């Protein structure tokens, strides 16, 4: 897995503090940034967190490039609907360089690892056989209909791989660009940094939090699973290791 913070709202913390300042003071739009030094900005952000006023933090957004993750993760992260996603298409990009993600529990055992690798290889071979057979079929039909041979080959390839991809596994690697505003990110971290989250998206969320904290430390000072800012809401499903989790995410936020 590799995650890069491509960009974010300039001066994200001061932008949010300015929005909050407008809510709570008789200030004109042209004067919002006046007097907003780092100390006052941090106080505004602490105040917003303490009273649960989250709408001002929507004014800052963060964009990430993510690669080395599975289609299983893609199915999970796109459930976070207040976000923007650009995902490498299996309709347009043939899987010639077939990369797949191996779960750690499978990788740590030689027998299960071999079984997994064999299954991946079988699906890759089936994909290529299907893509080649379908491409030949479509090209023949298109050229018979009068299409130029070069154009027929190009179109046939796309038609072939959009159907051949149905045999590709959830383990198949994907790449994406994701943008979320800070409020959505806080929600994402609450849900996906928790130890009860699935391992791959938990690793992704933790790395995204590390990058966000480096860019805007005051904004994400209390971000992480729910037990970082209060009691664990999981009841009998709790991991029971709240103190350990809090310490681990303190280290994440502090770089």
């Amino acid at each position: 897995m590799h995650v890069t913070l491509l960009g974010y709202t300039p001066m994200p913390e001061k932008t949010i503090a300015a929005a909050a300042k407008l809510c709570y003071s008789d200030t004109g739009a042209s004067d919002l940034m006046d007097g907003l030094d780092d100390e006052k900005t941090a106080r505004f952000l602490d105040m917003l967190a303490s009273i649960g006023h989250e709408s001002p933090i929507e004014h800052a957004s963060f964009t990430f490039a993510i690669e080395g993750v599975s289609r299983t993760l893609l199915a999970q992260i796109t459930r976070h609907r207040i976000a923007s996603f650009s995902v490498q298409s299996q309709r347009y990009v043939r899987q010639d360089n077939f990369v797949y993600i191996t779960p750690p529990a499978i990788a740590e055992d030689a027998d299960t690892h071999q079984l997994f690798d064999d299954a991946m290889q079988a699906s890759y071979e089936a994909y290529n056989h299907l893509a080649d057979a379908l491409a030949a079929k479509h090209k023949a039909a298109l050229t018979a209909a009068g299409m130029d041979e070069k154009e027929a080959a190009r179109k046939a390839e796309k038609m072939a791989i959009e159907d051949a991809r149905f045999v590709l596994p959830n383990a198949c690697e994907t790449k994406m660009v994701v943008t979320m505003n800070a409020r959505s990110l806080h929600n994402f971290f609450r849900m996906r940094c928790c130890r009860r989250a699935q391992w791959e998206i938990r690793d992704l969320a933790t790395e995204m939090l590390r990058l966000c904290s480096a860019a805007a430390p005051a904004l994400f000072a209390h971000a992480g699973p729910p037990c970082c800012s209060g009691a664990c809401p999981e009841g009998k499903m709790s991991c029971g290791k709240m103190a350990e989790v809090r310490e681990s995410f303190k280290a994440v936020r502090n770089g």
Side-chain angles (χ1 to χ4, degrees):
M1 180 186 297
H2 184 69
V3 187
T4 302
L5 180 58
L6 292 180
Y8 51 90
T9 301
M11 301 187 301
E13 295 173 331
K14 287 189 177 180
T15 299
I16 291 167
K21 183 178 177 182
L22 182 67
C23 294
Y24 295 104
S25 64
D26 184 18
T27 303
S30 60
D31 303 321
L32 288 176
M33 289 291 189
D34 291 352
L36 271 183
D37 56 21
D38 291 344
E39 182 180 349
K40 288 183 179 178
T41 295
R43 285 207 304 267
F44 264 114
L45 294 175
D46 282 343
M47 182 266 292
L48 293 174
S50 68
I51 64 176
H53 187 185
E54 296 184 332
S55 61
I57 70 174
E58 294 176 15
H59 293 292
S61 295
F62 296 76
T63 298
F64 306 86
I66 301 167
E67 60 185 339
V69 295
S70 70
R71 304 287 290 194
T72 296
L73 183 141
L74 177 63
Q76 296 180 82
I77 196 170
T78 50
R79 292 172 186 164
H80 295 268
R81 292 182 293 276
I82 304 178
S84 299
F85 301 95
S86 297
V87 181
Q88 188 175 76
S89 173
Q90 289 181 339
R91 290 185 66 201
Y92 293 94
V93 180
R94 180 157 177 162
Q95 300 298 305
D96 290 321
N97 182 25
F98 182 57
V99 178
Y100 55 88
I101 310 305
T102 305
I106 291 176
E108 68 189 15
D109 178 83
D111 290 337
T112 56
H113 200 173
Q114 186 61 57
L115 181 62
F116 187 79
D117 285 345
D118 290 346
M120 295 300 104
Q121 185 61 31
S123 68
Y124 181 50
E125 290 174 1
Y127 170 81
N128 280 321
H129 287 319
L130 284 167
D132 290 344
L134 289 169
K137 173 186 173 182
H138 292 313
K139 181 182 176 183
L142 291 168
T143 53
M147 184 176 288
D148 171 79
E149 186 170 344
K150 186 176 180 180
E151 177 63 16
R154 186 196 64 78
K155 187 169 184 179
E157 172 75 2
K158 176 186 175 297
M159 294 169 67
I161 64 175
E162 75 175 3
D163 286 338
R165 65 181 171 151
F166 275 69
V167 300
L168 291 173
N170 278 336
C172 191
E173 187 222 18
T174 192
K175 302 175 179 69
M176 68 188 86
V177 172
V178 178
T179 300
M180 294 186 188
N181 68 49
R183 188 179 191 179
S184 290
L185 280 166
H186 273 271
N187 177 66
F188 178 68
F189 297 145
R190 278 194 293 269
M191 296 181 67
R192 303 301 187 171
C193 288
C194 176
R195 289 197 174 188
R196 293 200 61 229
Q198 185 260 355
W199 66 268
E200 188 180 19
I201 200 166
R202 184 175 66 245
D203 288 350
L204 173 63
T206 301
E207 179 60 12
M208 289 169 64
L209 174 55
R210 186 188 68 79
L211 294 170
C212 286
S213 296
L219 178 56
F220 294 97
H222 305 290
C227 61
C228 285
S229 54
C232 174
E234 297 292 336
K236 65 180 182 180
M237 303 297 287
S238 172
C239 71
K241 299 180 179 180
M242 283 77 78
E244 180 182 329
V245 171
R246 288 171 188 144
E247 285 303 310
S248 68
F249 277 96
K250 185 183 294 184
V252 169
R253 292 191 299 268
N254 291 334

